Amino acid sequence: MAMALKRAALAATRAISYANSGFFWKKKIVGVFYKAHEYAKMNPNFVGCVENALGIRDWLESQGHEYIVTDDKEGPDCELEKHIPDAHVIITTPFHPGYITAERIKKAKNLQLLLTAGIGSDHVDLKAAADAGLTVAEVTGSNVVSVAEDELMRILILVRNFLPGYHQVITGDWNVAGIAYRAYDLEGKTIGTVGCGRIGKLLLQRLKPFGCNLLYHDRLKMDPELENQIGANFEEDLDRCSPNVIGMFDKERIAKMKKGVLIVNNARGAIMDTQAVADGCSSGHIAGYSGDVWYPQPAPKDHPWRYMPNQAMTPHISGTTIDAQLRYAAGVKGMLENYFKGEDFPAPHYIVKEGELASQYR
């Protein structure tokens, strides 16, 4: 309690100091997004890139705020590093994360607010943010449908052994046996989801019509009525339900999984032991691995997941569909409006508030 009061006092002191300095109404806002290059002009709703800057540049600048947008986020001489000391707000995204480390937070003397354009906070040192009295928030719910649909797609791609067939087509081959020998129906298979929040529930609901044996592992059981409606069974023992812990799936845990397991990970790249996954795919213990989350992001060219067999990896794209971009851009604008007025955000959006982490991040 004492620590929480100290953090809240620190946040209030920052706000008061800004007001007294005469810069309370003019804010410096820094956004970190991926570059779209020639694609930026191909869709007017493609707002999640550097060039289109969430569609809020004119609005911010018309009110006298400074808005800096960049994709340059790594190293001591990057563009993000240059603006950290006097930034009031930093907006970044899971798809091209600007890593806000404890060291960067120490340099950020004016910083008050860290916003995720999307969902998640892996790119932020949450303890350091809380200790500094910062507010950390996301646009909760903005891309859960997008990610749940992506996960269902990846499950089907792996189960049906789709990728070898696609590669045959573009290389001019035709070998049905080379695909069919490890292609299966989804019906009757056991699928376990580790973590059953908004995305997990949506995925289970979408899997129900396939007639699968559905299991879920989470800190909390879902409402019995919803559990019965979905037809999923709670599995308390994670080892039997084959996410938010770095290295959760290490060599030992993967070894406990059934030989031939298929793994889909759209949660966090860091929950998987990188080399253990690559080794499992090479040995055949993991029959297929798919996802779009890596650590770090962007993934380096020598990342072992790029070259392991039976993988269906993509860049981090699942939650940045055009529909999702419009939702999280609107959410960011709404929270900035609240911030300028000194009003609270919708409660589910908070990751850190007044020095306290939201329960799901503790």
Side-chain angles (χ1 to χ4, degrees), residues 99-309:
Y99 291 99
I100 310 301
T101 61
E103 290 73 22
R104 283 178 164 173
I105 288 172
K106 287 179 183 178
K107 297 176 184 177
K109 303 304 180 183
N110 289 349
L111 191 59
Q112 293 177 303
L113 177 61
L114 293 167
L115 291 179
T116 297
I119 302 172
S121 63
D122 293 357
H123 52 281
V124 178
D125 186 321
L126 295 181
K127 183 179 185 304
D131 289 344
L134 305 181
T135 296
V136 184
E138 65 180 9
V139 189
T140 297
S142 59
N143 54 28
V144 293
V145 169
S146 312
V147 178
E149 288 184 359
D150 186 271
E151 289 181 342
L152 177 58
M153 173 190 73
R154 292 176 190 278
I155 290 170
L156 287 167
I157 282 172
L158 291 178
V159 169
R160 302 305 294 262
N161 203 25
F162 171 85
L163 283 178
Y166 171 75
H167 289 307
Q168 283 188 25
V169 169
I170 61 176
T171 58
D173 297 328
W174 189 280
N175 182 1
V176 174
I179 307 162
Y181 84 101
R182 60 193 305 271
Y184 297 87
D185 294 340
L186 187 55
E187 184 178 38
K189 303 301 183 292
T190 296
I191 300 177
T193 177
V194 181
C196 197
R198 293 175 178 87
I199 295 171
K201 289 184 178 69
L202 286 175
L203 175 63
L204 291 174
Q205 288 172 334
R206 283 154 175 74
L207 284 167
K208 182 180 179 181
F210 287 89
C212 305
N213 175 32
L214 301 177
L215 305 176
Y216 73 96
H217 170 84
D218 202 278
R219 295 180 301 113
L220 302 171
K221 292 187 67 174
M222 69 175 77
D223 179 79
E225 184 176 346
L226 179 60
E227 186 180 79
N228 183 63
Q229 183 184 69
I230 294 175
N233 295 308
F234 179 70
E235 179 55 69
E236 189 172 3
D237 184 353
L238 175 59
D239 290 332
R240 293 182 60 191
C241 187
S242 321
N244 286 312
V245 179
I246 293 174
M248 175 186 286
F249 289 90
D250 55 14
K251 181 179 179 180
E252 289 71 28
R253 177 155 278 141
I254 289 172
K256 295 177 182 178
M257 294 181 176
K258 183 178 180 180
K259 181 176 173 58
V261 65
L262 302 174
I263 300 176
V264 173
N265 178 19
N266 282 51
R268 298 172 64 189
I271 68 172
M272 311 300 296
D273 181 313
T274 298
Q275 193 58 50
V277 171
D279 292 344
C281 286
S282 295
S283 70
H285 189 85
I286 298 175
Y289 184 88
S290 185
D292 70 340
V293 287
W294 309 66
Y295 184 81
Q297 293 187 165
K301 290 185 178 180
D302 62 351
H303 197 293
W305 290 358
R306 291 181 182 268
Y307 310 105
M308 62 191 184

Side-chain angles (χ1 to χ4, degrees), residues 86-106:
D86 60 348
H88 297 95
V89 180
I90 296 176
I91 308 168
T92 187
T93 174
F95 319 105
H96 187 77
Y99 291 99
I100 310 301
T101 61
E103 290 73 22
R104 283 178 164 173
I105 288 172
K106 287 179 183 178

